[in-house]
């Protein structure tokens, strides 16, 4: 069993209202020095068996077709740990 | 300017309906071999100045009081890059 993480973030050129809302609230809560905040999604996938190239290719395809809307989002796949 | 990432995930013992919905859909879309899916949030913070211990302590406090609901969520702080 291995854990693969897929991070899905809005593309840099896309406005991020959620991130902006967080950023505007921070000074009011006393947290200064944060120039920008972007909010996205994190998927933790527990994969049966070894994470070989074939499995990674499949996860890439899954992220591209299902986990991310690639018109407005970028995704990043990372193998986090092999248990 | 440095980027600090805060990942917020439901605690393992908390039911994750979103993750389960994704997991149940995967086989229908032809993606097998994924034993479990957990979905959470990823915050990318652009921090003014160096990310020293004081800045990290502040970000931990921000995550604990504002970005995560620590009753049901865990959070993880990572310094990703110093530009």
């Amino acid at each position: 069993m291995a854990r693969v993480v897929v991070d899905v973030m809005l593309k840099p050129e896309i406005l991020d209202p959620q991130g902006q809302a967080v950023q505007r609230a921070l000074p009011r809560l006393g947290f200064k020095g944060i120039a920008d905040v972007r909010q996205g999604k994190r998927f933790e996938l527990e994969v049966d068996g070894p994470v070989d190239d074939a499995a990674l290719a499949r996860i890439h395809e899954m992220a591209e077709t299902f986990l991310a809307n690639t018109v407005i989002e970028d995704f990043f796949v990372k193998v986090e740990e092999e248990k």
Side-chain angles (χ1 to χ4, degrees), chain A residues 9-12 14-21 36-40:
Chain A
M9 298 297 293
L10 286 170
K11 289 181 187 285
I14 304 288
L15 186 71
D16 176 8
Q18 285 183 303
Q20 281 188 346
D36 190 30
V37 177
R38 306 277 298 173
Q39 180 174 339

Side-chain angles (χ1 to χ4, degrees), chain A residues 41-60:
Chain A
K41 289 173 281 191
R42 172 185 167 94
F43 294 94
E44 292 181 356
L45 311 175
E46 303 296 336
V47 181
D48 290 329
V51 180
D52 51 21
D53 289 345
L56 271 178
R58 234 178 42 242
I59 290 170
H60 260 265

Side-chain angles (χ1 to χ4, degrees), chain A residues 1-74:
Chain A
M1 188 80 78
R3 172 178 297 171
V4 174
V5 173
V6 178
D7 288 323
V8 177
M9 298 297 293
L10 286 170
K11 289 181 187 285
E13 65 274 18
I14 304 288
L15 186 71
D16 176 8
Q18 285 183 303
Q20 281 188 346
V22 171
Q23 191 199 348
R24 275 197 299 267
L26 290 178
R28 283 204 314 271
L29 295 164
F31 299 109
K32 296 191 180 35
I34 304 296
D36 190 30
V37 177
R38 306 277 298 173
Q39 180 174 339
K41 289 173 281 191
R42 172 185 167 94
F43 294 94
E44 292 181 356
L45 311 175
E46 303 296 336
V47 181
D48 290 329
V51 180
D52 51 21
D53 289 345
L56 271 178
R58 234 178 42 242
I59 290 170
H60 260 265
E61 193 194 338
M62 184 193 309
E64 195 158 28
T65 55
F66 183 52
L67 300 179
N69 170 355
T70 50
V71 173
I72 59 168
E73 292 171 329
D74 291 324

